[in-house]
Amino acid sequence: MSTDTAKTADVRRPDWITEELLSDLVSRVPSSTGASWKLTEVYSGEVLVALPQSSPADVERAAAEGRAAQRKWAATPLPQRLAVFRRAHELILRNQHKIADLIQAESGKARRIAFEEVCDPPMVISHYLKRAPKLLRDKKRPGVMPVLSSSIERHPPRGLVGIIAPWNFPFATGLSDAIPALMAGNAVLLKPDNKTALSPLYGISLLEEAGLPKGLFQVVCGEGPDVGPTMMDNVDYAMFTGSTATGRVIGEQAGRNLIGACLELGGKNPMIVLDDADIDETVGGSMFAVFGNTGQICMHIERIYIPEAMYDEFRDKFVAAVEGMRIEAAYAFGPDLGALVSPDHLARVQSHVEDAVAKGATVLTGGKARPDIGPTFFEPTILEGTTKEMLHGVTETFGPVVSLHRYSTLEEAIELANDTDYGLNASVWTTDFKRAQAVAARIESGNVNINDGLATAYASKSTPSGGMKQSGVGARHGDQGLLKYTETQNVATLKKQVMGPQGKQTFDDYAKQMQMSLRWMRKLGIR
C-alpha cells in the first residue's frame, strides 16, 4: 500500500457524542462491585467511557427482572407488540447517522460499513412484521381420527433469551437477533462485547422510546468467563455469534441445561472464479467480499481460487485495485478501509501474515501495520503461495488478508474450497447461472453467493442463514429465525372415546378394523 493512498486524518468525534450521553448509556449496565472496563475510541486510542462490569449476582438480578417483565409482555396481544417495532423501524432510520457515529467510535470501521450495519435491524423488523402474525398464530391440524379429533399447533415464547453478541457488528447482531425474540413474546438478556457496547445500548433506548416496556431488554457486560456461565444458567435459549472455540463452550453448557442454542461460528470462506467469469466485474466484487469491514466479517472471503489461464490477469488487476484503496480514520464517507478493532486483534492479523511469509508465502501488496494512521490500522494484504502449514492457510485470520490460489480443473477447485473444517460462506463467479447453481450445490457451506461475496445471502432475510460443519448450529433469518425463540405445543382434542375396542368388540376385530382404516385413509389421502 503506497503512502499516497493513506492519510493521517484529524479525527474529531461528532459533537453529539458527549460524556453525558455516554454516561447515560452505560448507566443501563448493572454493576454492584463498581468494576469497570476502559472503552476506547479505536481511531485514537482515547478512553471514551468507563463501562461498568457485571458480577454473576448482577446477571442473576437482570435475568429475574427480565422474567418479571416478560410475563406481562407475553400476555400483550401480538398486534400491540408489533406496533412497537413499527415505531422502532422509523426511529432507527431517523437516527441512522448517529448510530453509525457510535459504531465507528467503538469499532473503528469505515463509514460505509457502519451505515450499512444500521440498515440490518430495520430490514429484520420489516420482514418479521409481515411474517410474525402467520408464524405465531395457532394452527389447526388434522387429528389422529378424522372428524372425531383435531390438533392445534401453538408457539408460546420460551421466556428469557440470552444473546451474546460479537464486536464486529455490535448493533446489527445485538438488535437483529433480539427483535424476533421480542416479537415472539420473550424477554432478552444481552451481553455485548466490552469493546462495542455503546451502539446496542443506544439501540435499546430507541426501542424503549418506541414503546418497548422497560426491563424487558436487559444488558450485562463483562468478560465471557466472568458472566457467561451465569448467563447461560439463567436463560431459556441462547443465541451466540463468535468463534468456534467459544461456541463449543456455549453449546456444551446449553446441552447440560437442556436449553436450545443457535451458534453462528467461524469461517475460512472460499471464492471460486470460474473460467467464464468477467474478470473486471469479479475483481470489483472481490474488494468488498475480502476487505469489507477491514476483513472483520464472519462471511468474508479469505481464499480465492482462480483458473490457471486467468490467474495472472486476475492477480495483476486485483493487486492494482487493492493498492488504490483509501485507508483512513474518518467519521465520514470516503475511506474504503477503517481500523481493526483493537491492538490485540491487530497483533493476531500481523502474526498470521508474518507466519505465512516465514514459511514461504509472498506478499503481493500490503502486509504492514500503519501506526501513522492510527493505533490499529493494517494495510489490505494479498498473499500468494499460502499452504496449510501456515496459520492463514487453515485458520480464520479475520482481517484484511486474502490468499490467491491457482487451479487446473473445476473438480480441483471444489475440492480445495471444501478442504476446511469450516462451512459458513462461499462465493462463485461466472456468467453461466445454471453452471453456478450446480457448483454451489457441491460446496459444503451454509451460504453460497453467486456473483457476490457475502451480502446477497445475508441480506435475504426470508431465507435462513447458518453454517455447516464447524461453522455453527441453527440459523438466523427465515421462518426458523423467529420460531427458534418459541416452544412448540400440541393441543389435541378427542370428541369421543373411540381409541380401542368398542362395546363387545374383541381386540382382534378392533385390530382388523384399524388396519382397514389405515389403508383407506392412505388411499383417500387422509393419512
Side-chain angles (χ1 to χ4, degrees), residues 147-223:
V147 180
L148 294 178
S149 67
S150 64
S151 181
I152 295 176
E153 176 188 340
R154 298 185 62 249
H155 287 281
R158 289 184 180 270
L160 180 63
V161 171
I163 296 176
I164 302 175
W167 49 258
N168 61 329
F169 285 93
F171 184 78
T173 52
L175 263 69
S176 292
D177 286 337
I179 286 163
L182 293 165
M183 286 182 174
N186 297 285
V188 168
L189 178 61
L190 170 69
K191 192 199 88 64
D193 191 282
N194 275 338
K195 294 184 288 294
T196 53
L198 298 176
S199 59
L201 285 166
Y202 187 76
I204 294 168
S205 73
L206 294 180
L207 290 179
E208 291 180 353
E209 185 179 340
L212 193 74
K214 292 185 183 299
L216 189 68
F217 201 147
Q218 296 284 327
V219 180
V220 293
C221 290
E223 296 297 334

Side-chain angles (χ1 to χ4, degrees), residues 271 273-275 279 283 303-319 362-364 382-386 402-408:
M271 172 175 152
V273 182
L274 300 187
D275 56 13
I279 290 184
V283 167
R303 303 178 286 144
I304 302 180
Y305 297 98
I306 307 140
E308 182 75 43
M310 300 169 62
Y311 184 87
D312 289 348
E313 182 182 359
F314 181 94
R315 177 197 60 202
D316 294 345
K317 288 184 175 181
F318 189 46
V319 169
T362 300
V363 176
L364 299 179
I382 305 174
L383 299 178
E384 191 176 54
T386 303
V402 66
S403 290
L404 304 186
H405 302 272
R406 305 170 188 264
Y407 73 84
S408 299

Side-chain angles (χ1 to χ4, degrees), residues 55-68:
S55 68
D58 295 323
V59 176
E60 290 175 348
R61 281 190 291 271
E65 290 176 14
R67 288 190 183 282

Side-chain angles (χ1 to χ4, degrees), residues 59 223-234 249-250 253 257:
V59 176
E223 296 297 334
D226 297 331
V227 299
T230 305
M231 181 176 177
M232 289 295 296
D233 283 341
N234 284 272
V249 176
I250 299 294
Q253 191 167 357
N257 293 345

Side-chain angles (χ1 to χ4, degrees), residues 42 107-108 167 293-296 338-343 345-347 349-350 376-378 398-400:
V42 174
S107 71
W167 49 258
N293 200 29
T294 319
Q296 300 167 120
L340 293 170
V341 74
S342 69
H345 191 55
L346 183 144
V349 172
Q350 191 162 26
T376 63
F377 281 82
F378 195 87
F398 215 62

